[in-house]
């Protein structure tokens, strides 16, 4: 099913319905279940998750393009005794 859901709609819809079944424990709203299952089927069919992950990774704070991450802080690291909350080392 994993390969076929990106090629044809029927496996994607069947997978979306199976994905929505556990949400019956939370809600009985048909509209909510259709939204959960329908959006899951569409996102799986078009493999949109990889584009979302790519967008999040490229816009993450502290990132400098493809060359790696910059440190999130410019502070010097604390000595181990200070990291444990002691006043003096």
């Amino acid at each position: 099913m994993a390969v076929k859901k990106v090629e044809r709609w029927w496996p994607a819809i069947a997978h979306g319905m199976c994905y929505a079944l556990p949400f019956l424990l939370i809600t009985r709203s048909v509209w909510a279940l259709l939204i959960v299952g329908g959006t899951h089927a569409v996102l799986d069919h078009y493999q949109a998750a990889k584009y979302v992950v790519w967008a999040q990774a490229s816009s993450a704070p502290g990132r400098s393009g493809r060359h790696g991450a910059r440190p999130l802080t410019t502070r010097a690291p604390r000595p181990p005794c200070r990291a444990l909350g002691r006043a003096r080392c």
Side-chain angles (χ1 to χ4, degrees):
M1 183 184 294
V3 175
K4 294 293 182 185
K5 67 184 177 183
V6 298
E7 296 173 359
R8 301 183 68 210
W9 275 104
W10 177 243
I13 293 170
H15 175 70
M17 289 185 338
C18 291
Y19 180 83
L21 283 177
F23 289 92
L24 281 171
L25 297 173
I26 299 171
T27 183
R28 298 281 189 243
S29 169
V30 175
W31 288 111
L33 294 171
L34 284 175
I35 288 172
V36 168
T39 55
H40 188 80
V42 170
L43 292 175
D44 268 359
H45 180 72
Y46 289 116
Q47 296 180 335
K50 65 181 173 183
Y51 299 112
V52 171
V53 170
W54 176 81
Q56 285 178 341
S58 64
S59 67
R63 298 289 297 193
S64 59
R66 294 178 161 217
H67 303 292
R70 293 187 311 244
L72 294 177
T73 181
T74 56
R75 292 189 311 178
R78 294 192 285 179
C81 58
R82 291 284 173 102
L84 294 174
R86 296 183 184 151
R88 288 192 267 169
C89 292

